[in-house]
Amino acid sequence: MDILQRNNIPLTLGLAFVGVTKDWLSSEDVMKDLDVHEFNKLTAIQLAELYKSSEDSKEEFLKILGRILGIASLDVSSLIKIWVIAYLRDIRNSDESIHDKLHEIARVWSMMNYPSDWKNFIFYMPVENNEYSDEKILYQKFINYLELIEGTV
């Protein structure tokens, strides 16, 4: 959850559903950090069900949360994109060296199930057209990509 807070992204029910599903946060984190506007959308019964299920199991919590959200209408890809932006902003804003940032990008790449549009800035991927690519060039490609996706949300 800290990653969303550090990037000034409020925890919505949809982001919570994706975050718990992917094990990026726990149901307890959701109940503690859910945006106040999201809490206000819930009925007393829904709130009680969420609290109880958060103490039971991840599966039960997701079942209740999915029912509240109307899971069929949930745009999961847009919600994952918000998580991606949060993780990548965190890397960009860190005080780590470019070398360490590139290694962290590769770790997040695996967390996100290896999106193909990241290959241009993953340090261990082969470069195309025998193009020379040092760490500064890879990092600039990463910055360009982050700016591009930030503009689509």
Side-chain angles (χ1 to χ4, degrees):
M1 175 53 212
D2 290 343
I3 195 151
L4 295 176
Q5 288 175 341
R6 280 193 304 271
N7 288 284
N8 298 314
I9 299 171
L11 181 60
T12 65
L13 291 170
L15 288 172
F17 184 84
V18 170
V20 172
T21 300
K22 300 281 189 180
D23 291 321
W24 298 334
L25 60 130
S26 68
S27 56
E28 293 82 13
D29 291 334
V30 173
M31 298 313 296
K32 181 176 56 106
D33 297 325
L34 190 66
D35 186 67
V36 68
H37 299 294
E38 294 292 295
F39 266 117
N40 292 337
K41 294 177 185 176
L42 299 171
T43 67
I45 292 172
Q46 290 172 328
L47 200 52
E49 288 177 326
L50 280 176
Y51 270 114
K52 182 176 179 338
S53 66
S54 73
E55 296 171 353
D56 292 342
S57 69
K58 171 185 166 180
E59 293 75 20
E60 186 62 23
F61 182 78
L62 288 171
K63 179 179 153 189
I64 300 294
L65 187 55
R67 184 170 39 84
I68 290 169
L69 285 168
I71 196 67
S73 64
L74 196 61
D75 184 1
V76 173
S77 63
S78 292
L79 294 166
I80 289 175
K81 186 186 285 188
I82 293 169
W83 277 100
V84 164
I85 288 170
Y87 276 105
L88 296 183
R89 280 180 181 167
D90 233 33
I91 294 169
R92 178 195 61 199
N93 296 338
S94 77
D95 292 331
E96 300 297 322
S97 68
I98 288 176
H99 178 81
D100 290 342
K101 287 180 180 187
L102 291 173
H103 282 266
E104 184 62 13
I105 291 165
R107 188 188 70 76
V108 172
W109 187 48
S110 70
M111 277 177 47
M112 298 299 167
N113 202 23
Y114 307 98
S116 61
D117 53 347
W118 291 31
K119 287 182 180 180
N120 288 335
F121 52 87
I122 300 300
F123 74 94
Y124 57 80
M125 293 300 292
V127 294
E128 295 180 8
N129 304 326
N130 295 323
E131 172 185 310
Y132 178 73
S133 204
D134 69 8
E135 288 185 338
K136 288 180 183 177
I137 292 170
L138 289 174
Y139 186 71
Q140 187 56 53
K141 288 179 179 182
F142 157 70
I143 294 297
N144 294 345
Y145 175 79
L146 179 56
E147 290 171 355
L148 176 72
I149 64 169
E150 285 176 320
T152 65
V153 177

